[in-house]
Amino acid sequence: QVQLVESGGGLVQPGGSLRLSCAVSGRINSSIRLAWYRQAPGKQRELIASIDSTDNTDYADSVKGRFTISRDNAKNTVYLQMNSLKLEDTAVYLCHALMRTPWTLDNYWGQGTQVTVSS
């Protein structure tokens, strides 16, 4: 089992910044891919950023150039640096792990952290 615990959400004004953290624990292997999703009220869950085991990153067009995903393997933590925040970035942000074993492809989710962008 893998556990994910997010932190760092909050209220921020448009144009501001926040950094989200996701602490990863449990039976982790080197195949793990970590990602951030978000879900706004009444909208589908959206994949916004991912980072794989070789530090390749990918971003949704909606956040490209404003958000940066990174990982600290020594701390088993993945971060999402969010700059130039917009009203439409308001959502619950969820950490996700995808991990392959010889027999399975497993998905894990954190509980989510609320980000509210408001003036």
Side-chain angles (χ1 to χ4, degrees):
Q1 278 285 53
V2 174
Q3 294 79 41
L4 308 172
V5 179
E6 303 99 331
S7 61
L11 174 64
V12 63
Q13 292 187 338
S17 298
L18 277 177
R19 189 176 81 154
L20 305 182
S21 300
C22 174
V24 185
S25 61
R27 301 186 66 168
I28 304 164
N29 67 39
S30 60
S31 76
I32 196 166
R33 186 205 77 166
L34 297 166
W36 288 95
Y37 285 71
R38 68 185 179 187
Q39 188 160 23
K43 294 189 176 181
Q44 286 191 331
R45 190 169 291 185
E46 175 189 18
L47 172 62
I48 57 171
S50 65
I51 184 166
D52 68 15
S53 57
T54 58
D55 286 346
N56 291 315
T57 59
D58 196 18
Y59 298 92
D61 288 343
S62 57
V63 306
K64 201 170 291 183
R66 300 188 298 123
F67 291 10
T68 303
I69 189 170
S70 62
R71 61 195 290 172
D72 184 334
N73 291 329
K75 296 181 179 180
N76 285 336
T77 300
V78 61
Y79 303 99
L80 185 68
Q81 178 66 43
M82 306 186 293
N83 298 329
S84 302
L85 283 161
K86 305 176 181 179
L87 296 174
E88 53 264 39
D89 294 319
T90 295
V92 175
Y93 284 70
L94 302 111
C95 185
H96 175 262
L98 181 68
M99 195 168 70
R100 185 181 300 277
T101 74
W103 312 277
T104 61
L105 187 62
D106 299 323
N107 287 271
Y108 300 95
W109 292 93
Q111 81 287 351
T113 186
Q114 176 70 45
V115 172
T116 302
V117 184
S118 174
S119 55

